[in-house]
Amino acid sequence: MDVDEFWLFLQRSREVTSDPDERLRWLGVHLARSPLSRIVDFQILLNQIRRRSDTYDMWEAANLIFGGDCSTDGFWYFQAWLIGLGRDTFDLVVTDPDNLADVPEVRRLAERSMREWTGEWPEWEALSYVAAGAYEEATGEQEGVYDAMARRGHRDQSDPHPTGFRGVPEIRRRRFGGCLV
């Protein structure tokens, strides 16, 4: 699997259903039926793509969306959610996190109180584990995907390690939902 196939695979899951749990089931079933190398490729590519969004600027934007309470885990899950939105959206917001203000999913959230986000939180933790589940289903090896990655010179990442400058004295304000937050 190359990066284009990765994005196409995610897009196909989104075409089948918009429900995150159903998308995960679809991804898991189709990965488990794939050659083991493809399952490992998926996890490696997921990690590499996620790294592109692993910046302090992106974390700052996520923190604003989360009302000032985006934890380390929350940011990790937010990054997976961004990937789940698809290649075009992901590329747009990675280029400039301020572009999140123009993402329809973010705008819909900004129109309502966070208490009303039932089932719509901008996070998709389980995407991080879909390859591990598919690998286990195909081989019976629990967490075997991570050993296979290591044999190929990759290690799994399970927390953000943001790049960029942290602690800017005057934080640039971002607009979400047509308003400045």
Side-chain angles (χ1 to χ4, degrees), residues 16-75:
V16 170
T17 180
S18 62
D19 179 82
D21 292 332
E22 291 177 25
R23 284 182 72 191
L24 288 169
R25 277 190 287 281
W26 188 93
L27 290 166
V29 164
H30 286 83
L31 275 174
R33 294 178 184 161
S34 299
L36 295 179
S37 62
R38 184 175 169 85
I39 300 171
V40 176
D41 289 344
F42 181 90
Q43 187 64 46
I44 290 169
L45 287 164
L46 177 64
N47 291 347
Q48 289 172 347
I49 291 166
R50 174 184 252 135
R51 278 299 290 149
R52 294 181 47 218
S53 67
D54 202 3
T55 67
Y56 283 110
D57 280 347
M58 187 66 74
W59 199 341
E60 178 187 328
N63 197 44
L64 289 169
I65 292 169
F66 281 77
D69 191 24
C70 185
S71 67
T72 302
D73 286 347
F75 183 50

Side-chain angles (χ1 to χ4, degrees), residues 161-179:
H161 298 285
T163 60
F165 184 69
R166 184 178 186 172
V168 179
E170 185 176 325
I171 296 173
R172 184 173 55 162
R173 306 290 282 176
R174 301 185 189 291
R175 63 180 172 85
F176 292 98
C179 61

